Amino acid sequence: MHTVVVGPFGTTAEDVIAVARGNARVELSGEALDALARAREIVDALAAKPEPVYGVSTGFGALASRHISPELRAQLQRNIVRSHAAGMGPRVEREVVRALMFLRLKTVASGHTGVRPSVAQTMADVLNAGITPVVHEYGSLGCSGDLAPLSHCALALMGEGDAEGPDGTVRPAGELLAEAGIEPVELREKEGLALLNGTDGMLGMLVMALADLGKLYTSADITAALTLEALLGTEKVLQPELHAIRPHPGQGASAANMAAVLKGSGLTGHFQEESAPRVQDAYSVRCAPQVAGAGRDTMAHAALVASRELAAAVDNPVVLPDGRVESNGNFHGAPVAYVLDFLAIAAADLGSIAERRTDRLLDKNRSHGLPPFLADDAGVDSGLMIAQYTQAALVSEMKRLAVPASADSIPSSAMQEDHVSMGWSAARKLRTAIDNLTRIVAIELYAATRAIELRHGLTAAPASLAAIEAARAAGVEGPGPDRFLAPDLAAADAFVRSGALVTAVEAVTGPLA
């Protein structure tokens, strides 16, 4: 099994995905253990002093003015975990919880939190045992970090609350720890707070969203090319010299992808024919690289933000190398929240343009000779009419999901925490948006492949034919009389979601961007 080594200087997106989705084993490096030990010595020294130090010998948030005596500090750390584990609603996905736990371990391993090495080791042991705390949909305002989700994870480290075992069954966390031979942690000064105070949930979801969107944008370039082909459009708008004079990197990459798919097509370039005279393709076809490219550039910016956060140690207070323990506002999720919202906007627009292309394929007045709704016997058959309804419903929801969560701060903690990021909410709605976008692209694929097969006497590009062949082999049926359509659409969704569409095309074109 792949092993991810956690050191004191951050982690990578690849490691997050390996742990969250690939169940990679986690180990702490010797450097991380040394950093943890040094920072803990500083916290222990401060705890022995009579002066109050926030997070070490005081209450939290609006209650930070109370100095906590030594005999109550262990109880204080337990209580903050218990009281903050206040989530409600459905469970979030296992991969999200594993990403959250791993990223919290990444910050703990930096040596800036003051957590003992034994606590960090327990965090790694829980991940390696396949124990996943139950975390709920609601409870995080994205400041001070993802408090409620992280608290549910910390609760499991204490042997309390519920967790999912490696067999998928939810049971008391204490039972699962005992079966795995893991001793529950007894939290000391600073440790409860250090386990809760980070952007780890929203960051983990950002990292996974970027991985999913990267494959999905390539899939959308392919389906856009298939639609251009099915509409007998022109590939001349994809010439690299046209995109070089507007040098947005994403635009050039999308245009190059589409051109690679269309290479050798016998369907493109017919739009000047007498049977279907037109001067230019519609915007949804002609501007496909510009729209998808803008989304690609948005992803590049989001990836830059994610890389900085992956290198960060987010906690409050933090232990500095010179021995100071200082309060800060680094837990505020605004940098991550903004790009999560930005990605949802870009995804909604990509879904919108894909739906417009699909609608054009189905409308006999705009499809340049294709049968109405791509039906076998229009009137008797409805063809893909209602598939487009489904696509339109998904697009409509994506537009609602594009409303930014990060613009909706709401005060909390008796006005001490009077501005919050809502980054967790931005991440949750982005995950839904990505699911919807996958379905939208799948419906365009379904329509475009059927339309190409209805262009009798004309031969599609080799890459297009490879996509059609692979889709049919995956259960995405071709033209014919009306049938129960939902299974076909589900097969198209699975085909796109698995990456099989990209794999099939790249077997002909070589690697796409």
Side-chain angles (χ1 to χ4, degrees):
M1 182 182 292
H2 176 58
T3 297
V4 171
V5 178
V6 183
F9 304 114
T11 190
T12 65
E14 292 76 17
D15 283 348
V16 174
I17 292 170
V19 173
R21 292 178 167 171
N23 299 313
R25 185 171 182 79
V26 177
E27 290 182 4
L28 291 163
S29 72
E31 284 182 299
L33 292 170
D34 290 343
L36 284 157
R38 287 194 300 271
R40 188 63 206 180
E41 288 177 3
I42 294 169
V43 170
D44 286 341
L46 289 172
K49 292 184 176 181
E51 298 84 11
V53 178
Y54 178 71
V56 177
S57 53
T58 70
F60 309 113
L63 303 176
S65 59
R66 178 175 172 183
H67 182 228
I68 307 300
S69 59
E71 64 272 13
L72 294 176
R73 289 176 190 169
Q75 181 180 338
L76 169 69
Q77 301 300 322
R78 288 194 300 272
N79 285 352
I80 190 175
V81 172
R82 290 168 175 165
S83 65
H84 286 42
M88 293 185 73
R91 287 175 57 195
V92 302
E93 303 82 2
R94 180 178 184 271
E95 67 178 18
V96 172
V97 180
R98 285 185 62 82
L100 178 152
M101 293 171 68
F102 173 69
L103 286 168
R104 197 67 213 145
L105 177 59
K106 174 268 298 183
T107 282
V108 166
S110 70
H112 290 294
T113 68
V115 167
R116 287 169 294 157
S118 60
V119 175
Q121 186 59 57
T122 301
M123 296 171 75
D125 291 344
V126 169
L127 281 166
N128 293 337
I131 298 170
T132 308
V134 171
V135 172
H136 299 279
E137 181 80 19
Y138 303 105
S140 173
L141 300 180
C143 187
S144 305
D146 294 315
L147 284 173
L150 283 161
S151 297
H152 282 276
C153 293
L155 195 69
L157 295 178
M158 293 165 47
E160 300 180 19
D162 292 325
E164 178 186 301
D167 62 354
T169 303
V170 174
R171 295 165 52 198
E175 292 181 9
L176 292 169
L177 293 184
E179 288 179 7
I182 300 171
E183 285 290 324
V185 298
E186 294 282 347
L187 297 175
R188 289 170 46 182
E189 291 95 341
K190 177 77 172 62
E191 291 179 335
L193 185 60
L195 295 178
L196 316 185
N197 215 341
T199 56
D200 308 290
M202 64 183 92
L203 176 58
M205 286 186 275
L206 172 60
V207 168
M208 291 186 285
L210 286 167
D212 294 339
L213 284 169
K215 291 183 288 188
L216 198 48
Y217 267 76
T218 303
S219 297
D221 289 339
I222 293 169
T223 59
L226 294 173
T227 297
L228 184 152
E229 209 171 11
L231 291 171
L232 307 179
T234 179
E235 78 284 11
K236 288 184 178 180
V237 296
L238 305 174
Q239 296 172 86
E241 54 267 35
L242 294 176
H243 300 278
I245 61 175
R246 194 191 190 196
H248 294 288
Q251 175 180 324
S254 283
N257 282 350
M258 290 181 66
V261 174
L262 294 171
K263 186 176 181 181
S265 175
L267 283 162
T268 58
H270 294 272
F271 72 3
Q272 297 280 5
E273 291 187 355
E274 202 172 297
S275 61
R278 55 191 147 134
V279 177
Q280 297 175 322
D281 287 317
Y283 283 9
S284 60
V285 177
R286 187 173 10 135
C287 301
Q290 285 77 7
V291 172
R296 286 175 173 273
D297 292 341
T298 300
M299 285 193 291
H301 171 61
L304 176 61
V305 172
S307 69
R308 291 168 176 163
E309 198 76 354
L310 287 168
V314 178
D315 192 15
N316 179 48
V318 292
V319 181
L320 296 173
D322 61 7
R324 286 178 294 148
V325 175
E326 297 282 3
S327 283
N328 66 87
N330 285 343
F331 48 74
H332 199 290
V336 181
Y338 292 167
V339 294
L340 287 162
D341 280 332
F342 200 176
L343 289 172
I345 292 169
D349 202 33
L350 186 64
S352 178
I353 198 171
E355 183 275 330
R356 287 294 79 206
R357 289 192 296 263
T358 304
D359 182 65
R360 186 164 289 273
L361 289 167
L362 305 187
D363 183 352
K364 69 180 181 66
N365 296 311
R366 295 180 289 138
S367 66
H368 310 289
L370 290 168
F373 302 105
L374 306 181
D376 187 63
D377 185 4
V380 175
D381 293 314
S382 295
L384 305 191
M385 180 190 295
I386 308 305
Q388 185 268 330
Y389 282 34
T390 299
Q391 197 182 38
L394 290 163
V395 169
S396 182
E397 183 177 42
M398 288 193 71
K399 292 174 181 177
R400 295 190 295 273
L401 293 168
V403 175
S406 57
D408 190 29
S409 175
I410 189 166
S412 57
S413 192
M415 294 300 286
Q416 174 70 10
E417 299 169 6
D418 58 353
H419 187 277
V420 296
S421 77
M422 301 308 298
W424 174 273
S425 299
R428 296 304 297 165
K429 69 183 182 66
L430 178 59
R431 285 178 70 86
T432 302
I434 291 171
D435 272 347
N436 285 357
L437 180 58
T438 306
R439 297 179 183 111
I440 290 164
V441 171
I443 291 172
E444 182 180 18
L445 170 76
Y446 188 64
T449 55
R450 177 182 282 211
I452 287 172
E453 290 184 313
L454 291 171
R455 292 293 189 190
H456 303 297
L458 296 172
T459 304
S464 302
L465 294 174
I468 294 169
E469 182 181 2
R472 301 293 175 255
V476 183
E477 297 293 336
D482 280 357
R483 56 183 170 269
F484 181 23
L485 203 55
D488 280 6
L489 299 182
D493 176 40
F495 183 64
V496 172
R497 195 175 296 270
S498 68
L501 170 61
V502 176
T503 299
V505 169
E506 287 185 331
V508 176
T509 63
L512 298 173

